[in-house]
Amino acid sequence: MSYSVGQVAGFAGVTVRTLHHYDEIGLLTPSERTYAGHRRYSDADLDRLQQIMFYRELGFPLDEVAALLDDPDTDPQEHLRRQHALLTDRIEKLRKMAAAVEHAMEAHKMGINLTPEERFEVFGEKDPEQYAEEAEQRWGGTEAYAESQRRAARYTKDDWKRIKAEVDAWEERYVALMTAGEPPTGERAMDLAEEHRQHISRWYFEVPYEMHRCFAEMYISDERFKAYYDSMHPGLAEHLRDAIVANAARHGG
């Protein structure tokens, strides 16, 4: 059984011109020609074309494909083993690429830019973008702000849920501490202040103790921050400020 160049082009999904080129460079020379000089391809030729197309799909240049196929020390079984290894490697790379694309899509879709439904699911009544424009105006030129933006872009909805869970657990423990009458300079209060600093450092940007002290002053000087913390427990903003200052001092900050 032999096939014309047009039939082979149809089988393989290549152009007749491509098959002519492969013949001209000696990569795929048809086994037969008609009396009129027309190319006729055998089953063995089709097998070789399949091998060529495989290596081409993986990005091998034509000269390397020819060297691989014409290697006298390589039998058909070796070609299959090599192709299996190459395919396995390609699949793994594509899987990682797909995962990276999915992650980027999810980060873009969910990160800070959550849908309204997701926003309420994750944050409830607390809007994480409420002060985003002001934050960009105040700190947009800083490395800390840039780092915060870079990290936030990678976070998934589940990441934001973990962040909120940490905040909620911290707030609950701090309220319990104040209810129990613990002073801001006590070990428990300073430990929670340190957790506060580490939370920001872990999820947003590195917060040295000096910067944490600046945040503490903002928590009582900015009425919105003060209202936020005091809504958990009366006087919490000032208590936290003092705990942060005490914690920084015990760490030499």
Side-chain angles (χ1 to χ4, degrees), residues 1 6 24-25 32 67 154 208:
M1 179 71 70
E24 290 165 2
I25 64 175
E32 303 174 21
R154 298 194 300 266

Side-chain angles (χ1 to χ4, degrees), residues 193-203 207 209 212:
E194 177 63 13
E195 280 189 36
H196 183 276
R197 187 188 70 85
Q198 290 181 5
H199 173 84
I200 301 173
S201 296
R202 179 166 58 255
W203 290 105
V207 179
Y209 289 102
H212 203 209

Side-chain angles (χ1 to χ4, degrees), residues 58-227:
L58 291 179
F60 284 73
L62 292 178
D63 57 345
E64 289 187 24
V65 174
L68 285 168
L69 296 182
D70 296 331
D71 184 351
D73 297 326
T74 303
D75 58 24
Q77 190 68 22
E78 178 59 29
H79 275 301
L80 290 174
R81 284 193 292 268
R82 179 189 293 125
Q83 289 174 1
H84 184 272
L86 290 169
L87 278 174
T88 300
D89 183 60
R90 178 70 173 273
I91 289 169
E92 178 62 17
K93 287 181 180 178
L94 289 174
R95 186 193 65 76
K96 290 180 179 179
M97 288 174 63
V101 171
E102 288 173 4
H103 186 79
M105 290 168 61
E106 189 173 6
H108 177 74
K109 177 183 176 183
M110 296 180 177
I112 288 292
N113 299 313
L114 298 172
T115 66
E117 295 81 5
E118 290 164 341
R119 185 187 306 279
F120 281 103
E121 178 186 350
V122 175
F123 295 102
E125 296 179 355
K126 299 172 185 175
D127 184 352
E129 292 188 40
Q130 184 176 1
Y131 305 126
E133 184 175 349
E134 179 183 347
E136 183 172 5
Q137 291 174 352
R138 293 176 66 173
W139 300 297
T142 66
E143 178 55 30
Y145 181 86
E147 178 61 16
S148 176
Q149 293 295 98
R150 284 193 293 269
R151 295 193 195 181
R154 298 194 300 266
Y155 293 160
T156 65
K157 185 172 71 173
D158 287 340
D159 290 326
W160 289 112
K161 284 183 175 181
R162 282 192 289 272
I163 291 171
K164 183 177 183 296
E166 286 187 15
V167 171
D168 289 347
W170 179 90
E171 290 177 355
E172 184 177 337
R173 285 181 291 136
Y174 208 100
V175 169
L177 176 148
M178 288 195 68
T179 303
E182 294 276 349
T185 55
E187 289 292 325
R188 287 183 61 199
M190 289 191 290
D191 287 346
L192 283 176
E194 177 63 13
E195 280 189 36
H196 183 276
R197 187 188 70 85
Q198 290 181 5
H199 173 84
I200 301 173
S201 296
R202 179 166 58 255
W203 290 105
Y204 299 104
F205 52 85
E206 189 63 33
V207 179
Y209 289 102
E210 182 179 359
M211 182 185 291
H212 203 209
R213 289 167 63 101
C214 292
F215 286 175
E217 295 301 327
M218 183 174 64
Y219 294 159
I220 60 170
S221 63
D222 188 314
E223 288 300 319
R224 292 164 301 180
F225 280 105
K226 189 175 188 303

Side-chain angles (χ1 to χ4, degrees), residues 44-60:
D45 296 332
L46 295 184
D47 287 342
R48 183 177 175 91
L49 177 58
Q50 189 175 43
Q51 302 283 343
I52 293 168
M53 293 177 64
F54 173 84
Y55 287 116
R56 289 293 288 155
E57 177 66 22
L58 291 179
F60 284 73

Side-chain angles (χ1 to χ4, degrees), residues 8-19:
V8 173
F11 296 155
V14 298
T15 65
V16 170
R17 184 174 181 177
T18 295
L19 293 173

